[in-house]
């Protein structure tokens, strides 16, 4: 049997030749061997067990064909928590962790004097945002909605796996909240924001749900729908938090003038310096 080092080099070479990059080869090996990254280096010259090596080869072959690492593993890590993922949900991205971090920071300050805070994650997908927020801020009354019953099934399982108490609602965008006359302090959403005609990597287009990716001709369809109806579900003092495309800030500013002319808003950069989050502060 090859050593961990030999297997890793083999996997990296295969993925590089397939133009898939080579980082996934190491991440896959670390997860498959149930090792932390620095522990892997200590095992590099040890022979792999045959069953482990076969699993590694099979996974590398799947990724060579374009399948995402999260689908090969069956899970993805997000904000330190493990989430099941499949073709019914968008794989949670690292940049969305920054949205969660900023929501938590604003929750601690904007609602510092308030005990009972109700938050909703609209278009929850895998449930990553809702679960992470509930785990990090247990006092939050957390709601999550999605139009896809398949996605909600995954989200419910992830909430159960992470012992997070969340109320899940099925329905299109804000409709299930409006129907129940629910009122929110915090509305969070990472809606589909990729323009319909934008070219995407086939590992994304072929394996992830299009309903969670594409947001109309300009990518802003779902923001408009939320902006048009959000007052129906917001309390007089409320926070809205969105992830957005890095090149959509000017378009978002125009929408703010239309839908929130009297409210304060902020476009927040991610760690790469790109405009990636929109926060709107309602205080009537």
């Amino acid at each position: 049997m090859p050593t961990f080092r030999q297997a890793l080099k083999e996997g990296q070479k295969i993925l590089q030749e397939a133009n898939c990059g080579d980082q996934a080869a190491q991440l896959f090996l670390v997860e498959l061997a149930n090792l932390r990254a620095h522990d892997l280096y200590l095992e590099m010259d040890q022979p792999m067990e045959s069953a482990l090596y076969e699993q590694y080869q099979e996974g590398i072959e799947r990724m060579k064909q374009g399948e995402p690492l999260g689908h090969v593993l069956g899970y993805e890590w997000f904000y330190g928590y493990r989430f099941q993922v499949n073709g019914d949900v968008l794989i949670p991205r690292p940049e969305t962790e920054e949205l969660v971090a900023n929501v938590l920071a604003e929750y601690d300050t904007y609602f510092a004097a308030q005990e009972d805070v109700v938050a909703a994650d609209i278009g929850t997908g895998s449930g990553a945002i809702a679960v992470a927020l509930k785990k990090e801020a247990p006092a939050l009354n957390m709601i999550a909605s999605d139009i896809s019953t398949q996605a909600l099934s995954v989200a419910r399982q992830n909430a159960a796996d992470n012992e997070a108490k969340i109320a899940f609602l099925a329905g299109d965008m804000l409709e299930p909240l409006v129907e129940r006359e629910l009122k929110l302090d915090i509305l969070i959403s990472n809606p589909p924001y990729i323009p319909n005609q934008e070219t995407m990597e086939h590992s994304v287009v072929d394996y992830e749900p299009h309903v969670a990716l594409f947001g109309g001709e300009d990518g802003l369809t779902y923001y408009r729908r939320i902006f048009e109806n959000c007052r129906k579900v917001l309390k007089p003092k409320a926070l809205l938090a969105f992830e957005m495309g890095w090149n959509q800030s000017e378009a978002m500013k125009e929408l703010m003038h239309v839908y929130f002319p009297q409210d304060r808003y902020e476009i927040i950069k991610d760690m790469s310096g790109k405009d990636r989050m929109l926060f709107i502060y309602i205080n009537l």
Side-chain angles (χ1 to χ4, degrees), residues 209-270:
H210 288 196
V211 69
L213 293 169
F214 297 103
E217 293 303 313
D218 61 359
L220 302 175
T221 295
Y222 294 100
Y223 296 99
R224 292 191 187 93
R225 288 185 58 190
I226 292 175
F227 295 162
E228 287 169 1
N229 295 290
C230 65
R231 304 275 184 184
K232 299 174 184 176
V233 299
L234 294 177
K235 295 181 183 179
K237 178 180 180 181
L239 169 69
L240 296 90
F242 302 90
E243 184 172 320
M244 55 181 257
W246 62 270
N247 58 351
Q248 293 175 330
S249 59
E250 291 306 314
M252 283 298 186
K253 289 176 184 177
E254 292 180 13
L255 291 181
M256 292 303 97
H257 291 305
V258 174
Y259 294 104
F260 302 94
Q262 305 301 321
D263 300 299
R264 180 169 67 91
Y265 72 90
E266 182 179 10
I267 291 176
I268 302 172
K269 296 183 184 297
D270 63 14

Side-chain angles (χ1 to χ4, degrees), residues 178-190:
V178 174
E179 290 169 0
R180 291 166 176 79
E181 298 182 350
L182 298 176
K183 296 296 180 182
L184 307 175
D185 299 284
I186 306 176
L187 189 160
I188 312 109
S189 187
N190 178 17

Side-chain angles (χ1 to χ4, degrees), residues 104-117 186 237:
L104 289 169
E106 290 301 314
Y107 164 66
D108 286 339
T109 55
Y110 203 56
F111 300 100
Q114 188 174 326
E115 291 186 6
D116 185 28
V117 178
I186 306 176
K237 178 180 180 181

